[in-house]
Amino acid sequence: MAPHDPAAAADQALLAVAMSERLTGAYDPNLVLDLQARAHAQLAEARRRLGELHGAGEELRRAEECLARSTTGSPGGDLRPLAGAQLARTLEPRSSPSRRLSREAA
């Protein structure tokens, strides 16, 4: 994603969501669900950075639904830990610089 441009990151994440939703039966359906979860988590993060908290929450819900439906577990091709980690990072509370400074000063 574009780390310094939330709007570009959102555009890229929207493209990733659209592409992941077009993957067909030629691919393992569980890996597709893992990819969809990761794409939705990326979009949630981009929307959070844009201040679109309701939209971010909706994308997190979609990411969680994809992970819940996936039954992956084979080592090597399993993207679920990556998608789950992305989801966890997105859910992590972000502290503001002033809060960090307050904690460091204490």
Side-chain angles (χ1 to χ4, degrees):
M1 281 200 338
H4 301 294
D5 185 354
D11 289 343
Q12 292 172 3
L14 277 169
L15 181 59
V17 167
M19 290 174 63
S20 71
E21 290 175 349
R22 292 178 194 266
L23 295 174
T24 63
Y27 301 97
D28 181 319
N30 293 300
L31 291 179
V32 170
L33 285 167
D34 293 345
L35 285 170
Q36 289 173 344
R38 190 168 187 190
H40 284 290
Q42 290 284 345
L43 183 53
E45 172 63 8
R47 288 193 169 159
R48 183 198 63 79
R49 289 175 49 213
L50 287 168
E52 298 173 7
L53 300 183
H54 179 73
E58 285 296 310
E59 292 305 322
L60 283 176
R61 183 186 58 74
R62 289 183 182 114
E64 289 172 334
E65 287 173 358
C66 290
L67 284 179
R69 290 182 10 231
S70 173
T71 59
T72 55
S74 60
D78 187 2
L79 294 178
R80 189 175 180 148
L82 293 174
Q86 176 63 41
L87 190 58
R89 278 194 304 276
T90 302
L91 290 171
E92 248 176 32
R94 304 277 199 253
S95 62
S96 68
S98 61
R99 286 187 188 159
R100 280 195 303 269
L101 289 174
S102 297
R103 281 197 309 257
E104 290 171 6

